[in-house]
Amino acid sequence: MGTTSNTTGIVRVESGADLNLGELTITHQGPVDGSGSLTVTGSGSTVNQSAGSALTLGHATNGTATLTVENGGVFNASNTGAINVNATGNLNVDSGTFQARGPGASDDGGTINTSGTVTVTGNGLVNLNGKQPADYLTAVPAGQGGALNATGGTIDLSGTARILGSGGRAGDEFVGPAGGSLTITGGAAVSAVDSSLLEFNGGTGGSQVGFGVARPGGAGGTVTVTSGSLNLTGTAKLTLDGGLGGQPTAVASGGGQGGTGGTLSINGGSVMMDASALISLGGGNGSRRSLSSSFPGGDAGAGGQVLLSTGSMTINGGLLTLDAGTPATATGGFPSGAPGAHGTIDVTGGTFEMNGGEVFTGTFQRSGVGIFNHND
């Protein structure tokens, strides 16, 4: 679509219509200067890509490509096909849903590679969550969270918009899957304002239907800033929390341990928090034991870590938390789960600066040539 110079291709899916297709490319062939747009609008309006199909928006230099999902419309991309938003591409999700999730219960979330413009507004949703079995008592794993790779351009969230890349809830006797990842490089700028959410949490651990201990929750996801920026303001949130420990379902089984909190790595570029924003790298909570079990309750997951080697992290307001999860409480005369370790802020280079806000229950380490400024 839009692959001939000075031409325009326009497709609208509306009024509850469905469009089923395979590979979709919009204005991806340079050096032509065409334009193309696909709009999915209104409740019940859906575009479905077949498994393994690629989605390509735009080109490195020429043309303009726009995919808009709005007003309750849904675009179902393939979780195994390449999803590329090139420099002249635009993905706009305005109170609609864009999802890259497989049809299977254990499929991982998809991957979006973008050097273009991604805008999620209103109550829009970009869903890269891992899938989970419909019945968590079945012996089926769940999928890991997906990946959002920004190699340039911008990603902007506002309103109550969400980008989700968490692990699913695992089935019986499977460990909770890990949360997904956000990578920022190539000068990309990622901004979350208002009450928007970036979530890459670990999945809940599997149950235990026989004698034994339910499975641990998955580890929280990762955010890596190599060059570019991540800014959160208003009440926006970034969560990389560990998953909950699995629930016991048999009368003689113990609770699962919470997953470890995720990792925020700054190897260049900047991370900034303002106003009442939140960055959470907390450990997952341990699960209770069954009432007649001789096993203890589940241990708490450890808090995550902030690793700063070059670049900067600036806290002008809000809360950075690396707290451990909560262990299961003692019941029936048997012990509670063990507490988890709090997280770590490790500054080996660059500048960690606080002009306000709060850091909750983390251990600060300064080594090498790192700088810590506390100005509030």
Side-chain angles (χ1 to χ4, degrees):
M1 183 190 304
T3 57
T4 302
S5 183
N6 299 317
T7 63
T8 300
I10 300 173
V11 175
R12 292 180 62 87
V13 180
E14 55 191 358
S15 302
D18 294 325
L19 173 62
N20 299 317
L21 46 77
E23 180 178 356
L24 174 62
T25 58
I26 304 178
T27 322
H28 73 291
Q29 294 180 351
V32 301
D33 194 21
S35 65
S37 68
L38 170 61
T39 301
V40 189
T41 184
S43 179
S45 302
T46 305
V47 173
N48 303 298
Q49 283 192 284
S50 57
S53 298
L55 170 63
T56 305
L57 303 177
H59 180 259
T61 57
N62 294 301
T64 303
T66 303
L67 170 59
T68 300
V69 188
E70 62 183 13
N71 301 326
V74 177
F75 190 104
N76 291 314
S78 170
N79 70 314
T80 55
I83 303 173
N84 295 311
V85 183
N86 293 322
T88 66
N90 301 274
L91 173 60
N92 300 322
V93 183
D94 183 359
S95 298
T97 299
F98 179 95
Q99 45 187 18
R101 308 175 73 198
S106 61
D107 288 344
D108 296 338
T111 298
I112 298 177
N113 302 306
T114 178
S115 57
T117 302
V118 176
T119 306
V120 192
T121 59
N123 64 346
L125 169 63
V126 174
N127 191 351
L128 304 175
N129 282 341
K131 293 292 290 294
Q132 59 193 33
D135 181 359
Y136 67 88
L137 297 181
T138 59
V140 177
Q144 296 185 86
L148 178 58
N149 301 320
T151 58
T154 60
I155 299 175
D156 294 311
L157 292 84
S158 61
T160 57
R162 295 165 294 157
I163 297 179
L164 308 180
S166 296
R169 179 175 181 172
D172 178 43
E173 300 188 10
F174 280 92
V175 174
S181 63
L182 168 63
T183 302
I184 303 171
T185 187
V190 179
S191 172
V193 304
D194 301 328
S195 298
S196 56
L197 171 66
L198 290 158
E199 179 184 281
F200 299 91
N201 297 337
T204 299
S207 59
Q208 178 66 32
V209 298
F211 183 81
V213 177
R215 298 303 186 260
T222 61
V223 172
T224 304
V225 184
T226 301
S227 67
S229 61
L230 171 62
N231 296 326
L232 293 92
T233 191
T235 57
K237 297 177 181 179
L238 166 65
T239 64
L240 306 173
D241 296 331
L244 302 177
Q247 294 279 353
T249 56
V251 296
S253 55
Q257 180 178 354
T260 302
T263 300
L264 170 59
S265 298
I266 308 168
N267 307 316
S270 64
V271 174
M272 188 276 291
M273 298 173 59
D274 206 350
S276 298
L278 169 71
I279 296 179
S280 178
L281 299 92
N285 293 339
S287 175
R288 62 166 181 81
R289 67 177 187 88
S290 61
L291 292 179
S292 61
S293 172
S294 59
F295 293 101
D299 298 342
Q305 54 185 346
V306 175
L307 306 176
L308 173 59
S309 60
T310 56
S312 65
M313 181 167 188
T314 304
I315 302 177
N316 296 321
L319 173 65
L320 167 64
T321 177
L322 304 97
D323 199 13
T326 301
T329 57
T331 54
F334 291 95
S336 63
H342 297 309
T344 302
I345 301 171
D346 192 1
V347 180
T348 58
T351 301
F352 187 99
E353 183 165 338
M354 291 190 67
N355 301 312
E358 183 179 4
V359 175
F360 188 64
T361 55
T363 299
F364 185 83
Q365 298 177 174
R366 177 183 177 276
S367 58
V369 294
I371 300 171
F372 175 68
N373 295 324
H374 190 279
N375 300 319
D376 64 340

